[in-house]
Amino acid sequence: MIIAVIAGISLYGYARGLDNDLKRTDAFSGLSADRPAKAIEGAQNILLVGSDSRDPDAKDDGAGKWRADTLILMHVPEDHKSAQLISIPRDLWVTIPKSNDAECSDGSRAKINAAFAFGGLPRAVHTVECMTDVKIDHVMAIDFGGFKEVTDALGGVDLYVEQTITSIHKPHRVFKKGMMHMNGEQALDWVRQRKQFARGDFARMQHQQEFLKALMAKATSSGTITNPGKLNDFLKSVTAAVTVDNDFSLTDMASELRGVRGDNLTFITSPNKGSDTINGQSVVVSDREKALALYKAVAADELGPWMSANLKKGSSNTSGG
């Protein structure tokens, strides 16, 4: 019992140390008091923002400015036994409020990733809350470039390549159809590809989802959990690759998600009608009726019935189209 208590204290202190290492930002700065109500205490809604700072195609947006290559609303039900991750297309055509405390209807139409250029992470939070009527509890901004180190710390991941392609980036790797074991450089290169696929950015979103699920499965495998050195490398690389809101607690989150594994994750794409051209821009048009039903289920923590009615058996993804 004494040894167990000492070990527990040591692990808690280690986790607190990781918490202190996290980069933080005021993701809710200036948001108005009329945000969506939190309907179910215990359930968590976390906005994951992927910014690929090392992408060879990325434009230089200036120091300290956020770009959204990936937007995912992660819902953790009250029982903390699973998680549902809803990918929001970065080109989704939405109303972006004119300020962080403006009413949802007081704004202009644009692609959702423009919210970051207009007002940083707080404007993105406000825009997503307006679009979904779901209260965001926490924000985690992920540098996908930094996930190279995360992947390597786990010894690589296995990802399915649905068609043979050649990367558009140097050194122009060839990804052959079938299951491939990828290290960090290969995996990051793979999830950046989109122009070779008929589905374009939707294919890239799917690959990002599969990549995150593979990372989660590898991180929670016995080979990682029971290897102190590998576990330490993994956790250190994760904390170096993410920025979180000021109230985010790694120890609390780890406790809440301790029962979640890769098989308990469901990936969904925000319901949409596909691409269209509006004001000369290629955008993604929301399927408003289906989207409202999905986000109403999220807010009420009733995604189980929604998934049973809307996801095909054996599938973990829907575009709603």
Side-chain angles (χ1 to χ4, degrees), residues 11-196:
L11 288 172
Y12 181 75
Y14 174 76
R16 286 293 298 271
L18 289 174
D19 245 345
N20 293 335
D21 289 341
L22 286 169
K23 297 182 289 291
R24 295 185 180 273
T25 185
D26 188 355
F28 303 100
S29 175
L31 296 190
S32 58
D34 62 348
R35 297 171 61 195
K38 186 173 178 65
I40 306 296
E41 290 298 329
Q44 293 281 330
N45 296 304
I46 305 161
L47 185 63
L48 307 179
V49 179
S51 179
D52 199 352
S53 64
R54 304 180 201 176
D55 188 341
D57 288 337
K59 295 179 181 178
D60 183 3
D61 289 331
K65 291 189 177 181
W66 294 97
R67 286 188 312 107
D69 299 291
T70 305
L71 272 175
I72 297 177
L73 178 59
M74 178 178 177
H75 175 72
V76 181
E78 184 182 17
D79 63 12
H80 300 158
K81 294 181 179 180
S82 64
Q84 295 79 43
L85 295 92
I86 305 170
S87 289
I88 302 173
R90 63 178 185 172
D91 292 339
L92 194 68
W93 193 245
V94 299
T95 297
I96 299 178
K98 70 177 185 180
S99 66
N100 293 350
D101 61 353
E103 294 183 3
C104 291
S105 59
D106 188 6
S108 57
R109 302 281 284 179
K111 296 178 182 181
I112 194 166
N113 68 341
F116 294 83
F118 294 168
L121 277 172
R123 190 72 56 85
V125 170
H126 191 24
T127 301
V128 171
E129 288 189 339
C130 285
M131 183 191 95
T132 63
D133 202 27
V134 170
K135 174 75 174 290
I136 303 299
D137 298 297
H138 293 292
V139 175
M140 178 178 287
I142 303 168
D143 175 7
F144 265 89
F147 264 50
K148 169 190 172 295
E149 287 76 17
V150 176
T151 307
D152 287 338
L154 293 172
V157 292
D158 295 324
L159 296 172
Y160 181 72
V161 177
E162 68 266 35
Q163 71 182 63
T164 299
I165 65 164
T166 299
S167 171
I168 62 174
H169 304 131
K170 292 179 180 181
H172 304 297
R173 296 179 179 86
V174 175
F175 294 95
K176 294 184 177 181
K177 183 176 180 179
M179 191 65 72
M180 283 186 64
H181 182 77
M182 301 186 193
N183 62 23
E185 288 280 8
Q186 293 169 321
L188 264 294
D189 194 10
W190 169 246
V191 300
R192 287 167 175 158
Q193 307 303 313
R194 67 181 186 279
K195 295 181 180 179
Q196 304 95 319

